[in-house]
Amino acid sequence: MKKLFVTLALLLSFACAYAQDYKLVADASIPADAAKVLVQRFTQMLSSGGFTVSEEGADVIRLIPTVTSKMEVSDAQVALTIDLKATVGEVSEIFPLKGVGESEADAWLRAAKTLLPKSKTAEGFLEKLKK
């Protein structure tokens, strides 16, 4: 029984040493509703990778968008293609997003919802953070 407690204590200390706390900051150019969705998706992504997210995170992950194309598909629709760069320290990854909506803000929101926390790009970003 004593060995079990010692083993659990060692595993817990290893997990605490491995876990990293991050703060997510979305660029001010991202509409509020889309920024909220992006922060939620990144929180899910980081949690699944064993990381934590808080307001007082030691390291800041910045979400910086670059709108690569904006088209008015019709009188009532806007299409956006966005490269969202997530960066912390020397680690960065670009997440391609696309959205079509009735307004630019709606297209942003729909693009944000295309970010999948379990995508190959997300897995690559998590692997970079672990190193």
Side-chain angles (χ1 to χ4, degrees), residues 5-31:
F5 286 123
V6 170
T7 304
L8 288 175
L10 286 172
L11 287 172
L12 182 61
S13 65
F14 175 73
C16 290
Y18 174 73
Q20 180 116 16
D21 193 28
Y22 289 101
K23 178 179 180 178
L24 291 166
V25 176
D27 192 76
S29 65
I30 302 172

PDB file of all heavy atoms in Angstrom, residues 5-31:
ATOM      1  N   PHE A   5       1.095   4.547  -2.764  1.00  0.00           N
ATOM      2  CA  PHE A   5       1.049   5.975  -2.472  1.00  0.00           C
ATOM      3  C   PHE A   5       2.290   6.696  -2.993  1.00  0.00           C
ATOM      4  O   PHE A   5       2.203   7.804  -3.515  1.00  0.00           O
ATOM      5  CB  PHE A   5       0.877   6.227  -0.970  1.00  0.00           C
ATOM      6  CG  PHE A   5      -0.514   5.935  -0.469  1.00  0.00           C
ATOM      7  CD1 PHE A   5      -0.706   5.031   0.550  1.00  0.00           C
ATOM      8  CD2 PHE A   5      -1.609   6.566  -1.021  1.00  0.00           C
ATOM      9  CE1 PHE A   5      -1.975   4.747   1.009  1.00  0.00           C
ATOM     10  CE2 PHE A   5      -2.887   6.295  -0.581  1.00  0.00           C
ATOM     11  CZ  PHE A   5      -3.078   5.377   0.445  1.00  0.00           C
ATOM     12  N   VAL A   6       3.443   6.068  -2.863  1.00  0.00           N
ATOM     13  CA  VAL A   6       4.678   6.663  -3.358  1.00  0.00           C
ATOM     14  C   VAL A   6       4.620   6.796  -4.875  1.00  0.00           C
ATOM     15  O   VAL A   6       4.979   7.827  -5.435  1.00  0.00           O
ATOM     16  CB  VAL A   6       5.906   5.838  -2.905  1.00  0.00           C
ATOM     17  CG1 VAL A   6       7.167   6.305  -3.608  1.00  0.00           C
ATOM     18  CG2 VAL A   6       6.072   5.909  -1.396  1.00  0.00           C
ATOM     19  N   THR A   7       4.136   5.747  -5.542  1.00  0.00           N
ATOM     20  CA  THR A   7       4.010   5.769  -7.002  1.00  0.00           C
ATOM     21  C   THR A   7       3.036   6.854  -7.437  1.00  0.00           C
ATOM     22  O   THR A   7       3.320   7.612  -8.371  1.00  0.00           O
ATOM     23  CB  THR A   7       3.554   4.393  -7.524  1.00  0.00           C
ATOM     24  OG1 THR A   7       4.471   3.409  -7.070  1.00  0.00           O
ATOM     25  CG2 THR A   7       3.483   4.389  -9.031  1.00  0.00           C
ATOM     26  N   LEU A   8       1.893   6.937  -6.769  1.00  0.00           N
ATOM     27  CA  LEU A   8       0.910   7.978  -7.106  1.00  0.00           C
ATOM     28  C   LEU A   8       1.484   9.375  -6.876  1.00  0.00           C
ATOM     29  O   LEU A   8       1.256  10.282  -7.665  1.00  0.00           O
ATOM     30  CB  LEU A   8      -0.372   7.776  -6.300  1.00  0.00           C
ATOM     31  CG  LEU A   8      -1.233   6.597  -6.719  1.00  0.00           C
ATOM     32  CD1 LEU A   8      -2.401   6.430  -5.759  1.00  0.00           C
ATOM     33  CD2 LEU A   8      -1.748   6.777  -8.140  1.00  0.00           C
ATOM     34  N   ALA A   9       2.219   9.555  -5.805  1.00  0.00           N
ATOM     35  CA  ALA A   9       2.830  10.861  -5.519  1.00  0.00           C
ATOM     36  C   ALA A   9       3.841  11.233  -6.600  1.00  0.00           C
ATOM     37  O   ALA A   9       3.901  12.385  -7.047  1.00  0.00           O
ATOM     38  CB  ALA A   9       3.490  10.841  -4.147  1.00  0.00           C
ATOM     39  N   LEU A  10       4.627  10.262  -7.036  1.00  0.00           N
ATOM     40  CA  LEU A  10       5.595  10.525  -8.104  1.00  0.00           C
ATOM     41  C   LEU A  10       4.899  10.872  -9.410  1.00  0.00           C
ATOM     42  O   LEU A  10       5.311  11.792 -10.119  1.00  0.00           O
ATOM     43  CB  LEU A  10       6.516   9.322  -8.301  1.00  0.00           C
ATOM     44  CG  LEU A  10       7.576   9.117  -7.222  1.00  0.00           C
ATOM     45  CD1 LEU A  10       8.293   7.797  -7.437  1.00  0.00           C
ATOM     46  CD2 LEU A  10       8.558  10.265  -7.221  1.00  0.00           C
ATOM     47  N   LEU A  11       3.841  10.131  -9.735  1.00  0.00           N
ATOM     48  CA  LEU A  11       3.094  10.423 -10.963  1.00  0.00           C
ATOM     49  C   LEU A  11       2.457  11.807 -10.906  1.00  0.00           C
ATOM     50  O   LEU A  11       2.463  12.542 -11.888  1.00  0.00           O
ATOM     51  CB  LEU A  11       2.022   9.358 -11.208  1.00  0.00           C
ATOM     52  CG  LEU A  11       2.528   7.999 -11.671  1.00  0.00           C
ATOM     53  CD1 LEU A  11       1.388   6.990 -11.689  1.00  0.00           C
ATOM     54  CD2 LEU A  11       3.166   8.103 -13.034  1.00  0.00           C
ATOM     55  N   LEU A  12       1.914  12.158  -9.753  1.00  0.00           N
ATOM     56  CA  LEU A  12       1.297  13.471  -9.595  1.00  0.00           C
ATOM     57  C   LEU A  12       2.334  14.576  -9.723  1.00  0.00           C
ATOM     58  O   LEU A  12       2.090  15.589 -10.379  1.00  0.00           O
ATOM     59  CB  LEU A  12       0.579  13.563  -8.247  1.00  0.00           C
ATOM     60  CG  LEU A  12      -0.161  14.863  -7.967  1.00  0.00           C
ATOM     61  CD1 LEU A  12      -1.246  15.080  -9.016  1.00  0.00           C
ATOM     62  CD2 LEU A  12      -0.768  14.844  -6.589  1.00  0.00           C
ATOM     63  N   SER A  13       3.492  14.389  -9.130  1.00  0.00           N
ATOM     64  CA  SER A  13       4.530  15.423  -9.239  1.00  0.00           C
ATOM     65  C   SER A  13       5.021  15.552 -10.678  1.00  0.00           C
ATOM     66  O   SER A  13       5.302  16.643 -11.160  1.00  0.00           O
ATOM     67  CB  SER A  13       5.695  15.132  -8.299  1.00  0.00           C
ATOM     68  OG  SER A  13       6.359  13.948  -8.679  1.00  0.00           O
ATOM     69  N   PHE A  14       5.105  14.426 -11.394  1.00  0.00           N
ATOM     70  CA  PHE A  14       5.499  14.470 -12.802  1.00  0.00           C
ATOM     71  C   PHE A  14       4.446  15.206 -13.619  1.00  0.00           C
ATOM     72  O   PHE A  14       4.768  16.036 -14.462  1.00  0.00           O
ATOM     73  CB  PHE A  14       5.703  13.056 -13.359  1.00  0.00           C
ATOM     74  CG  PHE A  14       5.999  13.039 -14.835  1.00  0.00           C
ATOM     75  CD1 PHE A  14       7.237  13.447 -15.305  1.00  0.00           C
ATOM     76  CD2 PHE A  14       5.041  12.641 -15.755  1.00  0.00           C
ATOM     77  CE1 PHE A  14       7.517  13.449 -16.660  1.00  0.00           C
ATOM     78  CE2 PHE A  14       5.301  12.642 -17.108  1.00  0.00           C
ATOM     79  CZ  PHE A  14       6.556  13.046 -17.556  1.00  0.00           C
ATOM     80  N   ALA A  15       3.176  14.915 -13.355  1.00  0.00           N
ATOM     81  CA  ALA A  15       2.086  15.568 -14.097  1.00  0.00           C
ATOM     82  C   ALA A  15       2.092  17.068 -13.837  1.00  0.00           C
ATOM     83  O   ALA A  15       1.889  17.864 -14.745  1.00  0.00           O
ATOM     84  CB  ALA A  15       0.741  14.962 -13.714  1.00  0.00           C
ATOM     85  N   CYS A  16       2.352  17.472 -12.598  1.00  0.00           N
ATOM     86  CA  CYS A  16       2.392  18.902 -12.275  1.00  0.00           C
ATOM     87  C   CYS A  16       3.578  19.580 -12.942  1.00  0.00           C
ATOM     88  O   CYS A  16       3.496  20.713 -13.383  1.00  0.00           O
ATOM     89  CB  CYS A  16       2.443  19.102 -10.772  1.00  0.00           C
ATOM     90  SG  CYS A  16       0.907  18.657  -9.949  1.00  0.00           S
ATOM     91  N   ALA A  17       4.706  18.870 -13.004  1.00  0.00           N
ATOM     92  CA  ALA A  17       5.882  19.438 -13.651  1.00  0.00           C
ATOM     93  C   ALA A  17       5.667  19.565 -15.156  1.00  0.00           C
ATOM     94  O   ALA A  17       6.152  20.481 -15.788  1.00  0.00           O
ATOM     95  CB  ALA A  17       7.106  18.579 -13.373  1.00  0.00           C
ATOM     96  N   TYR A  18       4.920  18.631 -15.741  1.00  0.00           N
ATOM     97  CA  TYR A  18       4.691  18.618 -17.178  1.00  0.00           C
ATOM     98  C   TYR A  18       3.633  19.645 -17.584  1.00  0.00           C
ATOM     99  O   TYR A  18       3.733  20.273 -18.610  1.00  0.00           O
ATOM    100  CB  TYR A  18       4.273  17.213 -17.619  1.00  0.00           C
ATOM    101  CG  TYR A  18       3.873  17.143 -19.067  1.00  0.00           C
ATOM    102  CD1 TYR A  18       4.832  17.214 -20.066  1.00  0.00           C
ATOM    103  CD2 TYR A  18       2.543  17.041 -19.430  1.00  0.00           C
ATOM    104  CE1 TYR A  18       4.478  17.171 -21.394  1.00  0.00           C
ATOM    105  CE2 TYR A  18       2.173  16.991 -20.760  1.00  0.00           C
ATOM    106  CZ  TYR A  18       3.140  17.056 -21.736  1.00  0.00           C
ATOM    107  OH  TYR A  18       2.792  17.018 -23.041  1.00  0.00           O
ATOM    108  N   ALA A  19       2.607  19.795 -16.758  1.00  0.00           N
ATOM    109  CA  ALA A  19       1.491  20.672 -17.104  1.00  0.00           C
ATOM    110  C   ALA A  19       1.975  22.115 -17.210  1.00  0.00           C
ATOM    111  O   ALA A  19       2.727  22.587 -16.377  1.00  0.00           O
ATOM    112  CB  ALA A  19       0.381  20.565 -16.070  1.00  0.00           C
ATOM    113  N   GLN A  20       1.537  22.791 -18.227  1.00  0.00           N
ATOM    114  CA  GLN A  20       1.913  24.181 -18.445  1.00  0.00           C
ATOM    115  C   GLN A  20       0.631  24.998 -18.491  1.00  0.00           C
ATOM    116  O   GLN A  20      -0.366  24.587 -19.057  1.00  0.00           O
ATOM    117  CB  GLN A  20       2.669  24.315 -19.755  1.00  0.00           C
ATOM    118  CG  GLN A  20       3.077  25.717 -20.051  1.00  0.00           C
ATOM    119  CD  GLN A  20       4.569  25.890 -20.085  1.00  0.00           C
ATOM    120  OE1 GLN A  20       5.295  24.933 -20.169  1.00  0.00           O
ATOM    121  NE2 GLN A  20       5.011  27.120 -20.019  1.00  0.00           N
ATOM    122  N   ASP A  21       0.689  26.153 -17.904  1.00  0.00           N
ATOM    123  CA  ASP A  21      -0.464  27.029 -17.819  1.00  0.00           C
ATOM    124  C   ASP A  21      -0.316  28.135 -18.866  1.00  0.00           C
ATOM    125  O   ASP A  21       0.713  28.809 -18.912  1.00  0.00           O
ATOM    126  CB  ASP A  21      -0.529  27.619 -16.413  1.00  0.00           C
ATOM    127  CG  ASP A  21      -1.845  28.289 -16.123  1.00  0.00           C
ATOM    128  OD1 ASP A  21      -2.861  27.889 -16.715  1.00  0.00           O
ATOM    129  OD2 ASP A  21      -1.868  29.214 -15.301  1.00  0.00           O
ATOM    130  N   TYR A  22      -1.341  28.294 -19.701  1.00  0.00           N
ATOM    131  CA  TYR A  22      -1.317  29.306 -20.751  1.00  0.00           C
ATOM    132  C   TYR A  22      -2.477  30.278 -20.601  1.00  0.00           C
ATOM    133  O   TYR A  22      -3.523  29.944 -20.045  1.00  0.00           O
ATOM    134  CB  TYR A  22      -1.425  28.652 -22.136  1.00  0.00           C
ATOM    135  CG  TYR A  22      -0.187  27.902 -22.539  1.00  0.00           C
ATOM    136  CD1 TYR A  22      -0.124  26.518 -22.432  1.00  0.00           C
ATOM    137  CD2 TYR A  22       0.931  28.575 -23.015  1.00  0.00           C
ATOM    138  CE1 TYR A  22       1.023  25.828 -22.803  1.00  0.00           C
ATOM    139  CE2 TYR A  22       2.079  27.895 -23.382  1.00  0.00           C
ATOM    140  CZ  TYR A  22       2.113  26.518 -23.276  1.00  0.00           C
ATOM    141  OH  TYR A  22       3.248  25.846 -23.631  1.00  0.00           O
ATOM    142  N   LYS A  23      -2.273  31.453 -21.121  1.00  0.00           N
ATOM    143  CA  LYS A  23      -3.326  32.459 -21.230  1.00  0.00           C
ATOM    144  C   LYS A  23      -3.557  32.679 -22.713  1.00  0.00           C
ATOM    145  O   LYS A  23      -2.599  32.817 -23.482  1.00  0.00           O
ATOM    146  CB  LYS A  23      -2.884  33.757 -20.559  1.00  0.00           C
ATOM    147  CG  LYS A  23      -3.905  34.873 -20.667  1.00  0.00           C
ATOM    148  CD  LYS A  23      -3.412  36.120 -19.972  1.00  0.00           C
ATOM    149  CE  LYS A  23      -4.450  37.225 -20.082  1.00  0.00           C
ATOM    150  NZ  LYS A  23      -4.016  38.437 -19.373  1.00  0.00           N
ATOM    151  N   LEU A  24      -4.807  32.700 -23.146  1.00  0.00           N
ATOM    152  CA  LEU A  24      -5.152  32.918 -24.550  1.00  0.00           C
ATOM    153  C   LEU A  24      -5.564  34.367 -24.754  1.00  0.00           C
ATOM    154  O   LEU A  24      -6.407  34.888 -24.027  1.00  0.00           O
ATOM    155  CB  LEU A  24      -6.297  31.994 -24.964  1.00  0.00           C
ATOM    156  CG  LEU A  24      -5.950  30.520 -25.037  1.00  0.00           C
ATOM    157  CD1 LEU A  24      -7.213  29.677 -25.124  1.00  0.00           C
ATOM    158  CD2 LEU A  24      -5.057  30.241 -26.217  1.00  0.00           C
ATOM    159  N   VAL A  25      -4.973  35.001 -25.772  1.00  0.00           N
ATOM    160  CA  VAL A  25      -5.305  36.385 -26.093  1.00  0.00           C
ATOM    161  C   VAL A  25      -5.614  36.472 -27.579  1.00  0.00           C
ATOM    162  O   VAL A  25      -4.754  36.222 -28.424  1.00  0.00           O
ATOM    163  CB  VAL A  25      -4.144  37.347 -25.738  1.00  0.00           C
ATOM    164  CG1 VAL A  25      -4.467  38.757 -26.172  1.00  0.00           C
ATOM    165  CG2 VAL A  25      -3.828  37.275 -24.259  1.00  0.00           C
ATOM    166  N   ALA A  26      -6.863  36.809 -27.896  1.00  0.00           N
ATOM    167  CA  ALA A  26      -7.281  36.982 -29.287  1.00  0.00           C
ATOM    168  C   ALA A  26      -7.025  38.429 -29.700  1.00  0.00           C
ATOM    169  O   ALA A  26      -7.281  39.359 -28.928  1.00  0.00           O
ATOM    170  CB  ALA A  26      -8.752  36.633 -29.450  1.00  0.00           C
ATOM    171  N   ASP A  27      -6.517  38.608 -30.895  1.00  0.00           N
ATOM    172  CA  ASP A  27      -6.246  39.936 -31.439  1.00  0.00           C
ATOM    173  C   ASP A  27      -7.522  40.770 -31.451  1.00  0.00           C
ATOM    174  O   ASP A  27      -8.617  40.252 -31.684  1.00  0.00           O
ATOM    175  CB  ASP A  27      -5.684  39.784 -32.861  1.00  0.00           C
ATOM    176  CG  ASP A  27      -5.103  41.073 -33.380  1.00  0.00           C
ATOM    177  OD1 ASP A  27      -3.995  41.414 -32.951  1.00  0.00           O
ATOM    178  OD2 ASP A  27      -5.767  41.719 -34.215  1.00  0.00           O
ATOM    179  N   ALA A  28      -7.369  42.059 -31.220  1.00  0.00           N
ATOM    180  CA  ALA A  28      -8.515  42.974 -31.164  1.00  0.00           C
ATOM    181  C   ALA A  28      -9.258  43.079 -32.494  1.00  0.00           C
ATOM    182  O   ALA A  28     -10.422  43.489 -32.526  1.00  0.00           O
ATOM    183  CB  ALA A  28      -8.054  44.353 -30.715  1.00  0.00           C
ATOM    184  N   SER A  29      -8.609  42.692 -33.593  1.00  0.00           N
ATOM    185  CA  SER A  29      -9.272  42.780 -34.897  1.00  0.00           C
ATOM    186  C   SER A  29     -10.304  41.661 -35.115  1.00  0.00           C
ATOM    187  O   SER A  29     -11.085  41.718 -36.057  1.00  0.00           O
ATOM    188  CB  SER A  29      -8.230  42.741 -36.016  1.00  0.00           C
ATOM    189  OG  SER A  29      -7.570  41.482 -36.028  1.00  0.00           O
ATOM    190  N   ILE A  30     -10.321  40.672 -34.242  1.00  0.00           N
ATOM    191  CA  ILE A  30     -11.281  39.564 -34.349  1.00  0.00           C
ATOM    192  C   ILE A  30     -12.577  39.996 -33.672  1.00  0.00           C
ATOM    193  O   ILE A  30     -12.561  40.423 -32.513  1.00  0.00           O
ATOM    194  CB  ILE A  30     -10.736  38.288 -33.673  1.00  0.00           C
ATOM    195  CG1 ILE A  30      -9.409  37.873 -34.302  1.00  0.00           C
ATOM    196  CG2 ILE A  30     -11.749  37.157 -33.770  1.00  0.00           C
ATOM    197  CD1 ILE A  30      -8.704  36.732 -33.586  1.00  0.00           C
ATOM    198  N   PRO A  31     -13.720  39.896 -34.371  1.00  0.00           N
ATOM    199  CA  PRO A  31     -14.992  40.248 -33.743  1.00  0.00           C
ATOM    200  C   PRO A  31     -15.217  39.441 -32.450  1.00  0.00           C
ATOM    201  O   PRO A  31     -14.786  38.285 -32.345  1.00  0.00           O
ATOM    202  CB  PRO A  31     -16.030  39.874 -34.800  1.00  0.00           C
ATOM    203  CG  PRO A  31     -15.284  39.962 -36.094  1.00  0.00           C
ATOM    204  CD  PRO A  31     -13.885  39.501 -35.773  1.00  0.00           C
TER     205      PRO A  31
END
